[in-house]
Amino acid sequence: ECSSNGTICTKCQNGYYNVEEKGQSICRKCSEKCESCITNSEFCTECPEKFGLILDEFRLSTGRCAPCIANCRYCQQDSTECQNCEEGFLYNEQKQECQHQPEHCQSYKNFFECTQCKDGFGFENGLQTNKCIKCKVSNCKLCGDDADSCSQCIVGYGLSVNENDATKKICVKCPNNCI
């Protein structure tokens, strides 16, 4: 933005800062370390992707940028606190780190405790071990809590008690033309 007579800049575009030189207000480019800056090219107000501002002991910006913590996609306001982890990771506030999500997990308790596995997966040995493994029962759509026992079969198959273990269910083919 500039004044009505077009000679004085009042606001610079992102990536530039306003400075007065020889009685004129002009825009200068920010350092490559900054996404946007004020006062000078090195005092950042925003950082590039995967970088965040360094804060002092009073949690005020120092105007410098540092890399986000490992596996963090976005930490703009504070380089030590992740606002958005990379895909497959969740932020653990207690440990202040992005941790890998348990694989094949549908629902979580406290972010990292798996309470339900995705379709086609179940808990190893029927225990909520935080480890979801592929259902071991053929033609099974949902094995719920136990990868060795089916709770819902794919279309064309029905649930039946396992002859080897009455506590487990398997999928058997339905008669022809049956859905």
Side-chain angles (χ1 to χ4, degrees):
E1 292 178 19
C2 60
S3 64
S4 58
N5 65 8
T7 59
I8 298 172
C9 181
T10 56
K11 184 178 180 184
C12 298
Q13 66 183 11
N14 204 24
Y16 290 81
Y17 68 101
N18 195 319
V19 64
E20 196 152 322
E21 286 182 6
K22 298 178 187 173
Q24 290 187 344
S25 181
I26 58 172
C27 295
R28 292 264 186 230
K29 188 158 180 50
C30 295
S31 157
E32 289 180 7
K33 299 173 188 173
C34 303
E35 190 70 28
S36 65
C37 60
I38 56 170
T39 316
N40 65 57
S41 66
E42 300 289 326
F43 195 93
C44 305
T45 54
E46 287 183 45
C47 301
E49 189 174 334
K50 295 195 176 193
F51 282 79
L53 292 168
I54 298 172
L55 304 182
D56 65 16
E57 64 271 14
F58 303 107
R59 302 206 41 83
L60 299 172
S61 174
T62 62
R64 292 177 294 149
C65 297
C68 297
I69 60 173
N71 304 308
C72 180
R73 182 182 300 163
Y74 182 80
C75 67
Q76 198 54 241
Q77 303 306 313
D78 180 351
S79 64
T80 64
E81 287 184 17
C82 187
Q83 283 97 35
N84 190 353
C85 294
E86 291 177 357
E87 186 147 342
F89 291 84
L90 294 169
Y91 187 67
N92 184 331
E93 286 187 39
Q94 291 174 331
K95 294 185 178 183
Q96 293 187 331
E97 62 184 26
C98 290
Q99 293 183 323
H100 202 282
Q101 293 173 291
E103 215 173 1
H104 310 297
C105 188
Q106 180 74 38
S107 303
Y108 305 92
K109 174 182 170 188
N110 303 328
F111 285 107
F112 303 98
E113 230 177 283
C114 188
T115 57
Q116 180 184 357
C117 297
K118 290 181 178 177
D119 287 0
F121 295 85
F123 290 110
E124 193 171 33
N125 303 320
L127 305 170
Q128 285 192 346
T129 56
N130 238 16
K131 185 175 182 184
C132 296
I133 60 171
K134 189 160 179 54
C135 291
K136 293 179 182 177
V137 179
S138 299
N139 305 305
C140 183
K141 181 179 180 184
L142 296 173
C143 52
D145 290 343
D146 188 349
D148 292 315
S149 183
C150 191
S151 57
Q152 183 182 351
C153 300
I154 62 171
V155 173
Y157 289 81
L159 284 175
S160 179
V161 173
N162 186 335
E163 292 174 4
N164 300 327
D165 184 347
T167 64
K168 311 278 183 186
K169 298 211 175 166
I170 60 171
C171 295
V172 293
K173 187 157 180 50
C174 294
N176 288 341
N177 304 316
C178 181
I179 54 170

